[in-house]
Amino acid sequence: MAAIFGVVDFTRPSVRSPRKVVQHMATVHGLSLATDLDLYGDGWVGMGYLPERFQTHPRQDIFYINDRLVTLVEGDILNRASIAAASRIPLDTMKQISLPQLICHAFEHRGPALFDEIDGSYRIIIWDHVDKLLYVVADRYGFRPIFYKIINKRMFFGSEIKFLLKGLEKLPEINPQAIADFLSFGYPISSDTFFDGIVRLPGAHFLQMKQEQIYLIRYDEVEPEGKSKIRDAREAVSLLRNAAITGVKAYSDTEPTRVLLSGGIHSRLVAAAQKRLGYPVATLTVGEPSSADAQIAGNVARNLPSRHYLQKLSAAAFLDNFSRSVWLSDGLLNGLNATLLGMVPFLK
């Protein structure tokens, strides 16, 4: 996946030239990628784009610059025709201009209201170099992550945390709560990352920054679907049980099945559904025997009952295999796992 990153600096005089900061951010793991860098920079903002390393399709225009706006668009936008129509851009014109140019013209016509109309997987950066106003936009579901960190009147942003770490003058502290949340739930339960102060921009949100004024704005208000048809908790439990049994039955048979039992609600539900179907169940837990998860999983296994196996995993063994696990889970292409990959040198 291609990468974007940059900095906006409202300190005066600027601490460092934004253009030079972006060039420095393009040096990752000791390897300078500046020769592949598409770069825009002025006295206030710097933005860079790096294409996919093994890109086979023709390289597209990423920046569009007019007398007011600098527009960077990376990703896929599916409803270009409807955006053009709503912005009074003729269809023939739309076919002849680049995607950043289309978004630039549409933004001039619609303003931030445009963001709610865009459908796709994308990242958009818009810099108004007349009013000195920056917009950083995440797609509706956050498919393409954008991370940012604000320091005084400067904001660093990028599609991967490693670019931010390179641009910062001082490495941030580790965020223990974010690590605990990830190890407990298997995913981040907030926009925080493993690095203190580095935040992931939520899906369907955009950042608006001017001087020291920074706003996080949601552009997609979810419409309520009406009142629930479920009458009470008993009916809700029954529906959940039936759905779990139906799902497990579709992927299981009468052979002994091992359920990876963490002690959490999802693995408990799968194991209980297996048991309700009459299938022989064996459960497996990986972790420290003294941990709360391992003890809860053991209690669940005894109550099923099921044959239970505990694979011991020490903290040292976890760290030794952490880097390899991230790589095997496609860490370079996934925003969350890119976060994990950036953590490895600090954990060791």
Side-chain angles (χ1 to χ4, degrees):
M1 185 178 292
I4 65 169
F5 45 88
V7 60
V8 59
D9 188 348
F10 287 107
T11 61
R12 285 293 172 266
S14 294
V15 178
R16 291 183 292 170
S17 163
R19 187 181 185 90
K20 291 184 178 179
V21 171
V22 172
Q23 290 175 329
H24 184 64
M25 292 170 77
T27 303
V28 180
H29 303 312
L31 176 65
S32 176
L33 305 176
T35 55
D36 296 328
L37 184 68
D38 283 338
L39 174 63
Y40 169 84
D42 58 27
W44 300 83
V45 69
M47 295 185 283
Y49 166 81
L50 285 172
E52 298 177 50
R53 297 303 305 276
F54 303 103
Q55 181 170 294
T56 57
H57 53 275
R59 191 160 171 173
Q60 299 177 343
D61 292 333
I62 296 299
F63 289 101
Y64 177 73
I65 305 171
N66 64 13
D67 57 359
R68 185 179 188 90
L69 300 177
V70 180
T71 307
L72 183 157
V73 180
E74 188 273 315
D76 300 310
I77 292 179
L78 306 177
N79 59 329
R80 302 185 190 191
S82 63
I83 292 173
S87 305
R88 300 177 183 176
I89 300 173
L91 185 60
D92 291 341
T93 302
M94 183 209 73
K95 294 179 179 179
Q96 297 173 7
I97 62 179
S98 66
L99 179 57
Q101 189 173 356
L102 170 64
I103 296 301
C104 180
H105 290 334
F107 182 79
E108 288 180 316
H109 184 74
R110 306 295 306 281
L114 166 70
F115 303 147
D116 189 28
E117 300 174 4
I118 302 176
D119 184 17
S121 171
Y122 57 84
R123 306 178 183 100
I124 297 175
I125 314 294
I126 298 175
W127 168 240
D128 184 333
H129 53 82
V130 176
D131 289 339
K132 303 298 184 286
L133 183 62
L134 182 75
Y135 297 89
V136 180
V137 189
D139 64 52
R140 193 174 305 275
Y141 300 106
F143 286 134
R144 296 188 182 236
I146 302 179
F147 303 94
Y148 66 94
K149 182 175 177 65
I150 299 169
I151 303 176
N152 297 324
K153 295 183 179 182
R154 290 182 295 159
M155 180 172 70
F156 297 84
F157 57 88
S159 54
E160 296 180 48
I161 289 179
K162 61 186 178 184
F163 296 112
L164 275 71
L165 296 178
K166 195 65 180 179
L168 296 172
E169 297 174 355
K170 181 181 178 181
L171 290 176
E173 298 291 331
I174 299 301
N175 183 346
Q177 185 60 54
I179 297 175
D181 290 342
F182 176 79
L183 295 179
S184 297
F185 301 103
Y187 58 89
I189 60 174
S190 70
S191 297
D192 293 338
T193 68
F194 287 177
F195 298 94
D196 188 44
I198 296 182
V199 182
R200 177 170 177 161
L201 181 61
H205 283 74
F206 69 93
L207 283 172
Q208 177 181 299
M209 182 173 184
K210 183 176 184 179
Q211 298 293 348
E212 68 275 7
Q213 297 178 334
I214 303 167
Y215 302 97
L216 176 63
I217 302 171
R218 177 166 183 161
Y219 61 77
D220 177 23
E221 293 298 335
V222 179
E223 295 292 336
E225 297 183 359
K227 295 182 178 180
S228 172
K229 297 180 180 179
I230 300 176
R231 292 187 294 271
D232 52 32
R234 185 185 298 274
E235 184 178 358
V237 170
S238 177
L239 289 172
L240 178 61
R241 180 191 300 114
N242 293 337
I245 291 174
T246 300
V248 168
K249 189 174 182 179
Y251 290 94
S252 301
D253 50 34
T254 56
E255 295 298 320
T257 303
R258 287 193 178 184
V259 177
L260 189 60
L261 189 62
S262 66
I265 186 64
H266 299 94
S267 58
R268 291 193 217 182
L269 192 60
V270 171
Q274 291 268 17
K275 198 71 177 180
R276 179 63 67 92
L277 287 166
Y279 299 160
V281 181
T283 51
L284 170 67
T285 299
V286 180
E288 288 274 12
S290 60
S291 68
D293 278 353
Q295 294 180 16
I296 293 172
N299 291 335
V300 171
R302 283 190 291 272
N303 290 331
L304 279 172
S306 73
R307 179 177 295 179
H308 187 60
Y309 301 88
L310 176 62
Q311 176 63 51
K312 297 180 181 180
L313 178 64
S314 66
F318 174 78
L319 292 178
D320 287 342
N321 290 279
F322 194 79
S323 177
R324 183 173 59 178
S325 299
V326 173
W327 279 98
L328 290 175
S329 60
D330 204 13
L332 292 181
L333 300 180
N334 179 278
L336 170 63
N337 289 322
T339 305
L340 295 176
L341 186 64
M343 276 292 300
V344 173
F346 296 87
L347 289 172
K348 289 186 176 181

